[in-house]
Amino acid sequence: MAKTLFLILPHILYLITIDVSFCTLTASSPPPYKALVSPITKDPTTSLYTIPIDNRRPSVVDLAGPLIWSLCAPDHPTVACGSKTCAAAAEFRPPNCSSNTSRPPSDLYKPHCNCTAYPVNPVTRLCAPADLTLTTVTANATDGKNPKYSIAFSDFVSSCSIKSLLQSLPASASGVVGLGRSELSLPQQLSTEAKYANKFALCLPGGGIGVAFFGSGPFYLLPPILPAISDNLQYTPLIKNPTNPGYYIDVEHIAIALKQVPFPPDALALDKRGNGGVALSTVKPYTALRSDIYEPFLKAYGAATTGIQRMPATEPFDLCFNSSALASTRLGYGVPEIDVMLKGGKNWTVFGANSMQQVGAETACLAFVDGGAAAAAAVVIGGFQMEDNFLLFDAENSKLGYSSLLFGRMTTCANFNFTYGV
Ligand SMILES: *[C@@H]1O[C@H](CO)[C@@H](O)[C@H](O)[C@H]1NC(C)=O
Ligand SMILES: *[C@@H]1O[C@H](CO)[C@@H](O)[C@H](O)[C@H]1NC(C)=O
Ligand SMILES: *[C@@H]1O[C@H](CO)[C@@H](O)[C@H](O)[C@H]1NC(C)=O
Ligand SMILES: *[C@@H]1O[C@H](CO)[C@@H](O)[C@H](O)[C@H]1NC(C)=O
Ligand SMILES: *[C@@H]1O[C@H](CO)[C@@H](O)[C@H](O)[C@H]1NC(C)=O
Ligand SMILES: *[C@@H]1O[C@H](CO)[C@@H](O)[C@H](O)[C@H]1NC(C)=O
Ligand SMILES: *[C@@H]1O[C@H](CO)[C@@H](O)[C@H](O)[C@H]1NC(C)=O
């Protein structure tokens, strides 16, 4: 019986409606298609990436965010404050985020005690306590090649937000969607509430519309002759930071033009208290290196490019070149390669398209920035370095799959076929 239902259902839904709530079925059974797909747009003003997951309004993608949050209607549903869900929502509460509406412990057991969440703006780091609520998440089911039909999941846990918390986000954004390693992040809720595999892929656009997948592959990018992009990845372990829900990888060295940048051993390590380490972030436009790493990195890059004509530095960058003097290759400007040397001996190699940002007609700059001497992480890999790379965040197996620059495979992140396919 169940099998028949699975076979017919997609077609019925496709023919009749693309707007139906699928929630009760998916909550109890594996979904007929094993993944969801969503377009990713880069906002030119803020360099932030959005997906239309919150009732089709754009939400800022925060890879390291613990929660989904957005503006609420005044009559939004609430969540009981003594519940397990409420405790999960407070897990990554910033120490300085306190609610002036905080209630005495005795209140917890009174009827109508509503749960407070602590949404944080990932750009300004400001927070504003607000009600925990329930929202509807929308995306398209996919076979990995095309969107199939739209699905709406009601009753996903999210936080309300006051309007001022949206400051510094794209003008069109209604909130933030956290993809972090926490109970209430979007991928985790899709896994626990809708039985998708607890993994997702991000392919951030360097131009055009990129793509995010939630669930299991295979995933494809055009042209159609290409094998599944998700079948041909390198993997490195994901490591956890006990103090935040971000994604960290184990990097041993960084090399420029095959030479290791000299910095102390363990400079990139994540310690037991959650300091240091190499994190990935969709809200930092460029990779930020803590000053003790940035300085030798900049020096080494300068030494590897002595023959190339310099141009005046342009904020926020320190090293800029006459781009007319740089060779153009399939992988971007022909500049020294940067090897991010991962534990286990593999490299994530960064080519010109991910290391040089064009800032003027004749100027391109090394697109890495100084994160400051007191930066919490040693390295935060930013959006520009991830663009046109296919990244598979597999929380189930605690590993990160990476493709390196897709131009080398004759495709880009803007090449998902978003036409509905029957
Ligand atoms: C909440 O606290 C902030 C900062 O301490 C204060 O400016 C604001 O007036 C307080 N709001 C209420 C409703 O008490
Ligand atoms: C909790 O929310 C409900 C609406 O869902 C509201 O009627 C009630 O007054 C709220 N309780 C408190 C203590 O704010
Ligand atoms: C809380 O701490 C963060 C980082 O330490 C800071 O940026 C922020 O301004 C502080 N205050 C509030 C109210 O979020
Ligand atoms: C589903 O895909 C269609 C076709 O590409 C698109 O128009 C629609 O906006 C998508 N819906 C969501 C929720 O992403
Ligand atoms: C990784 O990069 C280093 C430094 O550039 C290089 O020496 C090494 O051969 C590379 N390893 C692999 C497996 O490509
Ligand atoms: C940049 O390099 C090009 C080609 O080598 C040269 O024609 C041009 O004059 C240079 N621009 C500046 C500002 O030096
Ligand atoms: C995109 O998908 C549609 C629907 O399956 C198909 O008709 C079309 O040929 C595809 N486009 C390309 C460029 O392959």
Side-chain angles (χ1 to χ4, degrees):
M1 269 320 273
K3 199 170 172 195
T4 321
L5 186 68
F6 284 0
L7 289 174
I8 331 177
L9 195 63
H11 303 284
I12 295 175
L13 276 180
Y14 181 76
L15 292 173
I16 297 175
T17 169
I18 54 164
D19 230 336
V20 128
S21 170
F22 206 59
C23 188
T24 49
L25 179 78
T26 50
S28 55
S29 28
Y33 287 108
K34 290 184 299 180
L36 299 168
V37 64
S38 191
I40 306 183
T41 306
K42 184 175 186 177
D43 176 60
T45 313
T46 59
S47 295
L48 294 168
Y49 307 90
T50 63
I51 56 175
I53 212 104
D54 178 23
N55 253 325
R56 303 192 183 171
R57 295 174 301 181
S59 288
V60 172
V61 176
D62 181 7
L63 186 54
L67 289 172
I68 305 169
W69 61 263
S70 63
L71 297 173
C72 276
D75 60 347
H76 54 266
T78 53
V79 173
C81 67
S83 61
K84 255 182 74 186
T85 305
C86 187
E91 195 188 347
F92 295 104
R93 170 183 181 172
N96 65 354
C97 186
S98 55
S99 156
N100 356 14
T101 59
S102 70
R103 306 166 178 111
S106 58
D107 258 22
L108 290 182
Y109 304 99
K110 287 187 185 153
H112 312 304
C113 165
N114 297 331
C115 181
T116 300
Y118 303 89
V120 176
N121 178 312
V123 178
T124 62
R125 303 306 305 171
L126 291 174
C127 83
D131 280 347
L132 196 63
T133 189
L134 301 173
T135 194
T136 299
V137 160
T138 50
N140 279 302
T142 184
D143 59 353
K145 292 183 169 167
N146 293 97
K148 290 292 182 180
Y149 50 84
S150 177
I151 309 182
F153 302 95
S154 54
D155 294 347
F156 268 37
V157 178
S158 74
S159 171
C160 288
S161 154
I162 54 174
K163 195 143 192 242
S164 63
L165 198 61
L166 295 171
Q167 196 191 86
S168 304
L169 302 184
S172 61
S174 71
V176 169
V177 54
L179 305 183
R181 305 178 89 175
S182 64
E183 233 176 278
L184 297 181
S185 71
L186 177 65
Q188 184 66 56
Q189 290 196 68
L190 284 169
S191 164
T192 50
E193 300 304 315
K195 307 289 176 250
Y196 288 91
N198 188 10
K199 44 181 108 168
F200 63 94
L202 288 184
C203 204
L204 301 178
I209 305 289
V211 61
F213 299 100
F214 299 91
S216 299
F219 303 123
Y220 296 83
L221 296 170
L222 294 172
I225 53 155
L226 281 188
I229 211 76
S230 52
D231 284 352
N232 197 357
L233 302 174
Q234 304 252 53
Y235 286 91
T236 193
L238 281 170
I239 50 184
K240 265 191 177 144
N241 185 324
T243 64
N244 72 54
Y247 296 86
Y248 286 72
I249 54 175
D250 211 334
V251 178
E252 288 186 329
H253 298 286
I254 297 173
I256 293 170
L258 305 177
K259 269 175 70 181
Q260 279 184 29
V261 178
F263 43 68
D266 292 340
L268 302 177
L270 177 67
D271 76 16
K272 289 204 165 53
R273 284 171 307 155
N275 301 313
V278 177
L280 293 104
S281 169
T282 51
V283 297
K284 290 267 188 258
Y286 303 100
T287 297
L289 311 176
R290 202 177 53 214
S291 301
D292 59 307
I293 295 156
Y294 181 73
E295 280 154 22
F297 176 85
L298 188 64
K299 216 172 132 198
Y301 205 88
T305 52
T306 44
I308 305 172
Q309 189 195 345
R310 303 294 198 261
M311 294 291 257
T314 303
E315 286 272 317
F317 308 120
D318 287 313
L319 185 56
C320 300
F321 302 101
N322 177 348
S323 57
S324 310
L326 296 172
S328 282
T329 77
R330 199 152 57 91
L331 306 176
Y333 284 125
V335 289
E337 287 166 18
I338 300 170
D339 281 316
V340 176
M341 298 169 66
L342 301 160
K343 191 178 173 170
K346 289 177 190 161
N347 294 331
W348 173 348
T349 303
V350 179
F351 299 97
N354 293 117
S355 65
M356 286 291 139
Q357 173 68 292
Q358 195 77 39
V359 299
E362 275 201 319
T363 307
C365 300
L366 177 65
F368 290 74
V369 300
D370 187 351
V379 176
V380 180
I381 299 175
F384 187 75
Q385 274 70 37
M386 293 192 267
E387 285 175 2
D388 288 314
N389 284 246
F390 189 93
L391 296 174
L392 181 67
F393 295 84
D394 182 346
E396 257 170 29
N397 300 299
S398 231
K399 60 183 189 176
L400 173 72
Y402 60 99
S403 65
S404 196
L405 185 61
L406 293 174
F407 301 174
R409 305 184 188 197
M410 301 299 185
T411 190
T412 75
C413 283
N415 275 359
F416 184 71
N417 185 348
F418 275 106
T419 306
Y420 270 124
V422 192

